[in-house]
């Protein structure tokens, strides 16, 4: 059984509607949950209109991680499919991914993220057709290279996870600003495997202006520093040497812009 969890806070109704419609029409038995940390009447009305479950917290503790954990507490599927509210899945998403969980050691399956609008570099340089999306470096080159050593990271959205594995580690981790990478690292340290499924299964939005880009990357970089200081993967018990190296590289990723410039 599968629960689709869609956390939202202040995003436009039309954006959330598009994701809910696609999630509702995924052709595998599931429940769809709208997790509204904004506690907005228009979101409650949207959930009623589309016939999906609606949950809202009384506070915003631990932001997205806390919101997802609240969704876990109030749902019961053996698998959870987490979608950011701008990620629109293809209808076959679950049919193509749930089979991996026949292996009891698989904790999560992560396909790549695909962005259907140009990122700010491509748009501002007028090179939308010449440049690849900046995040393709990570999702098309780095993540597949980590698959053989079970080091692919949980990217926070468009991924299916085993509920029992999440419950074993206390749900989504709340120690730092990059809860997704940290959660995947703890699952790997517990001996679970990950699968990076090299197939485009959803479409999402890149930040649409440079300020949005800076806010996003500042959070990711801040989270990397927090994790480096508080739960450094080089010293994380349970990780293989290869996994430690890959996770350590992830913490440094946003300090090295020249890599993406070469890409």
């Amino acid at each position: 059984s599968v629960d689709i969890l869609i956390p939202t806070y202040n995003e436009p109704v039309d954006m959330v509607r598009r994701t809910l419609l696609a999630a509702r029409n995924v052709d595998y038995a599931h429940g769809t949950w709208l997790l509204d940390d904004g506690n907005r009447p228009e979101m409650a009305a949207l959930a009623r209109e589309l016939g999906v479950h609606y949950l809202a917290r009384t506070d915003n503790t631990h932001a997205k991680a806390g919101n997802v954990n609240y969704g876990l507490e109030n749902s019961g599927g053996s698998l959870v499919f987490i979608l950011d509210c701008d990620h629109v899945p293809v209808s076959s998403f679950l049919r193509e991914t749930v089979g991996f969980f026949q292996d009891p050691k698989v904790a999560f399956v992560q396909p790549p993220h695909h962005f259907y609008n140009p990122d700010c570099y491509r748009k501002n340089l007028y090179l939308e057709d010449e440049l690849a999306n900046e995040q393709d470096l990570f999702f098309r080159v780095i993540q597949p290279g980590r698959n053989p050593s079970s080091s692919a990271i949980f990217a926070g959205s468009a991924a299916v996870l085993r509920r029992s594995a999440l419950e074993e580690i206390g749900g989504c981790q709340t120690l730092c600003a990059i809860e997704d990478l940290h959660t995947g690292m703890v699952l790997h340290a517990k001996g679970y495997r990950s699968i990076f499924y090299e197939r485009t299964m959803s479409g999402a939005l890149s930040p649409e202006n440079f300020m949005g880009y800076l806010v996003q990357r500042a959070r990711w970089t801040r989270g990397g520093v927090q994790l480096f200081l508080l739960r450094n993967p080089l010293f994380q018990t349970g990780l293989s040497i290869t996994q430690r190296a890959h996770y350590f590289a992830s913490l440094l990723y946003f300090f090295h812009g020249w890599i993406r410039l070469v890409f």
Side-chain angles (χ1 to χ4, degrees):
S1 55
V2 183
D3 289 315
I4 302 180
L5 305 182
I6 303 171
T8 182
Y9 177 59
N10 61 359
E11 295 81 6
V13 171
D14 287 345
M15 176 188 293
V16 179
R17 175 189 295 274
R18 185 169 55 217
T19 299
L20 282 175
L21 285 169
R24 192 183 64 174
N25 291 320
V26 167
D27 58 355
Y28 189 94
H30 66 276
T32 302
W33 298 79
L34 179 59
L35 311 179
D36 179 24
D37 249 9
N39 215 334
R40 293 168 288 169
E42 60 268 31
M43 285 298 166
L46 178 63
R48 286 194 301 271
E49 176 192 341
L50 299 182
V52 303
H53 303 286
Y54 176 81
L55 284 176
R57 300 190 291 167
T58 56
D59 60 55
N60 304 127
T61 307
H62 301 307
K64 177 185 172 182
N67 196 7
V68 169
N69 287 337
Y70 188 67
L72 288 171
E73 293 169 9
N74 288 277
S75 58
S78 56
L79 301 176
V80 291
F81 175 20
I82 297 176
L83 279 173
D84 282 352
C85 64
D86 64 327
H87 276 248
V88 180
V90 299
S91 61
S92 62
F93 197 113
L94 290 176
R95 272 195 296 109
E96 296 194 44
T97 53
V98 296
F100 289 110
F101 292 93
Q102 293 180 83
D103 179 350
K105 297 306 290 181
V106 169
F108 64 91
V109 176
Q110 176 70 69
H113 290 177
H114 167 71
F115 301 94
Y116 55 85
N117 65 321
D119 62 28
C120 55
Y121 293 109
R122 298 166 69 200
K123 183 167 62 176
N124 292 339
L125 293 172
Y126 298 99
L127 294 173
E128 296 181 13
D129 297 326
E130 287 74 21
L131 290 182
N133 188 290
E134 179 235 354
Q135 291 202 57
D136 283 354
L137 171 61
F138 182 75
F139 285 107
R140 304 297 179 180
V141 180
I142 295 174
Q143 283 276 69
R146 294 178 172 187
N147 223 9
S149 58
S150 191
S151 304
I153 73 163
F154 166 43
S157 178
V160 184
L161 299 95
R162 187 185 301 275
R163 176 187 294 273
S164 60
L166 276 175
E167 291 176 343
E168 185 178 340
I169 65 170
C172 285
Q173 303 299 287
T174 58
L175 183 67
C176 68
I178 47 173
E179 75 289 330
D180 45 8
L181 184 145
H182 187 201
T183 298
M185 185 179 80
V186 175
L187 288 169
H188 282 140
K190 284 287 186 181
Y192 285 103
R193 294 178 55 226
S194 61
I195 302 289
F196 182 71
Y197 185 48
E198 295 184 59
R199 182 168 164 82
T200 300
M201 304 282 284
S202 64
L205 286 170
S206 295
E208 296 188 278
N209 55 61
F210 197 61
M211 183 53 66
Y213 174 87
L214 290 178
V215 168
Q216 180 191 66
R217 302 314 162 93
R219 181 177 68 84
W220 290 355
T221 305
R222 183 175 71 253
V225 173
Q226 291 170 332
L227 205 56
F228 177 86
L229 296 173
L230 301 174
R231 196 66 57 82
N232 195 309
L234 292 179
F235 309 108
Q236 179 69 49
T237 303
L239 294 179
S240 69
I241 292 175
T242 306
Q243 287 174 327
R244 293 177 196 219
H246 281 311
Y247 273 107
F248 186 67
S250 293
L251 302 189
L252 300 179
Y253 179 72
F254 291 102
F255 289 98
H256 297 290
W258 63 269
I259 298 172
R260 292 185 294 289
L261 180 61
V262 170
F263 177 70

